[in-house]
Amino acid sequence: MCHPFPDRYNSCMSVPEKIYNLALATAASQGSVSLGRGDEHLATVDVPQPRRHNVDLLPTIDHLCQQFSVHPKQIGEVYLSIGPGSFTGLRIAVATVKMLALTLDVRVVAVPTIQVVAQGAPPPRVDAPNQALGVGINLKQERFYGAIFQYHVTEKLWMERADRKSTRLNSSHLVISYAVF
């Protein structure tokens, strides 16, 4: 049955195949939402105000979909950053993604936050193909979560090279940089 009021998501309209994907990152105080089509990244929008994921996450998703004229039923996959990070931010994102999965029948892909950070780094320089990437996340309370990644040219991805570990820091400063091995 059609909804009696015409709107941008009227259920009477024909909906093309599920070709878009969303990515939600709420592990930090500043959340973000990304929209893509297949392997193509279309846009990333920050949640308007830090620490307000509960109020601003769904309107941010809606705004991004409207900006690209994407009907919610065209979304086929939702990628979710699962931490480590802000417990409240992660809980809100998990609840939001679960709702999207149930109402839109989307595939959910959970991705560790450290992988999300690594994939945001540029590929290594051409003159240094064996360059590694060190990623670190400050977990507060003098705890640090880190991993080393190696770039795989065929997959065009940074892939984790060592086990992730959480350890206490003795210093208040941490420098993360590219290194050639």
Side-chain angles (χ1 to χ4, degrees):
M1 181 175 168
C2 294
H3 192 279
F5 303 105
D7 65 6
R8 65 185 178 274
Y9 302 136
N10 191 331
S11 59
C12 294
M13 62 188 276
S14 64
V15 178
E17 63 183 303
K18 295 178 178 251
I19 58 173
Y20 292 94
N21 49 62
L22 284 174
L24 308 181
T26 61
S29 60
Q30 180 66 58
S32 64
V33 177
S34 295
L35 180 67
R37 181 183 316 145
D39 290 338
E40 179 186 5
H41 173 255
L42 298 176
T44 297
V45 176
D46 286 337
V47 174
Q49 293 183 19
R51 294 185 177 89
R52 287 182 37 104
H53 306 337
N54 62 330
V55 174
D56 294 330
L57 186 59
L58 277 174
T60 302
I61 293 169
D62 184 53
H63 171 75
L64 191 56
C65 288
Q66 285 183 49
Q67 183 180 352
F68 287 87
S69 301
V70 174
H71 187 285
K73 291 184 179 182
Q74 290 178 285
I75 298 169
E77 295 178 325
V78 179
Y79 295 84
L80 173 64
S81 174
I82 57 166
S86 161
F87 176 75
T88 301
L90 294 170
R91 184 174 48 91
I92 291 164
V94 167
T96 301
V97 169
K98 187 172 182 177
M99 181 268 308
L100 291 172
L102 292 172
T103 58
L104 300 175
D105 191 31
V106 298
R107 178 176 172 248
V108 175
V109 180
V111 183
T113 301
I114 205 154
Q115 291 277 348
V116 174
V117 174
Q119 298 317 318
R125 299 184 322 258
V126 176
D127 63 337
N130 293 326
Q131 187 176 37
L133 171 69
V135 177
I137 299 174
N138 179 0
L139 297 178
K140 298 182 183 176
Q141 300 174 349
E142 296 183 1
R143 292 189 66 86
F144 168 79
Y145 192 74
I148 304 294
F149 292 83
Q150 191 73 42
Y151 193 76
H152 290 255
V153 178
T154 54
E155 290 90 1
K156 296 184 180 175
L157 290 172
W158 288 100
M159 299 182 82
E160 193 169 339
R161 196 175 85 180
D163 291 335
R164 291 185 301 266
K165 294 184 179 178
S166 177
T167 185
R168 290 212 176 264
L169 296 176
N170 293 328
S171 171
S172 61
H173 295 91
L174 179 67
V175 176
I176 302 296
S177 64
Y178 293 98
V180 178
F181 289 89

